[in-house]
Amino acid sequence: QVQLVESGGGLVQTGDSLRLSCALSEGTFRGWTVAWFRQATGKAREFVAAHKWSSRATVYADSVKGRSTIDRDNAKNSVYLQMNTLRPEDTAVYYCAASRTIILSQWRQPSGYAYWGQGTQVTVSS
């Protein structure tokens, strides 16, 4: 069964950086679209960024654009979310999600992804 395993969260200060990792338990990400979402306490799950493995197309939410970058390691079947200049409003549980079939117009919608990781907490103190 396909599983997504996240790591890299933690407690940081405003202005710090973090790198979140999402690894695929079996197989490769080839043909997949991989996304990051986040959910703050009491709020709806929010799109952060998405990356299509085959085309390398990447989109970012306006809230993180310019501060975050998705990259990947083909050999490790992993996708990373590098977040810089973190702010207290970035505090949330961050989730990795993946789909083999999602289309571009659905990338920002949680319902478009069939597979989810367990989440990793990111806390940014002011």
Side-chain angles (χ1 to χ4, degrees):
Q1 183 176 354
V2 172
Q3 290 185 328
L4 301 175
V5 181
E6 300 136 340
S7 60
L11 172 63
V12 298
Q13 295 184 335
T14 297
D16 285 351
S17 298
L18 271 180
R19 183 177 172 85
L20 306 183
S21 301
C22 175
L24 188 61
S25 62
E26 60 182 55
T28 73
F29 273 131
R30 186 174 300 174
W32 294 71
T33 298
V34 184
W36 290 94
F37 288 81
R38 66 186 182 185
Q39 189 165 19
T41 302
K43 294 188 177 181
R45 195 161 294 191
E46 175 190 20
F47 171 79
V48 176
H51 173 79
K52 186 170 178 67
W53 201 266
S54 57
S55 67
R56 294 182 176 266
T58 304
V59 295
Y60 298 94
D62 288 344
S63 57
V64 303
K65 193 177 295 182
R67 300 188 296 124
S68 297
T69 304
I70 283 186
D71 60 40
R72 71 195 208 189
D73 186 324
N74 294 344
K76 295 182 178 179
N77 292 320
S78 295
V79 174
Y80 307 95
L81 179 67
Q82 175 70 39
M83 300 189 295
N84 302 318
T85 321
L86 284 162
R87 306 166 179 167
E89 53 264 42
D90 294 317
T91 295
V93 177
Y94 283 71
Y95 296 92
C96 175
S99 169
R100 292 188 180 100
T101 60
I102 194 169
I103 59 176
L104 179 60
S105 62
Q106 298 174 316
W107 280 18
R108 297 173 185 265
Q109 302 170 20
S111 60
Y113 297 88
Y115 301 96
W116 290 83
Q118 80 283 1
T120 185
Q121 177 71 46
V122 172
T123 303
V124 185
S125 64
S126 58

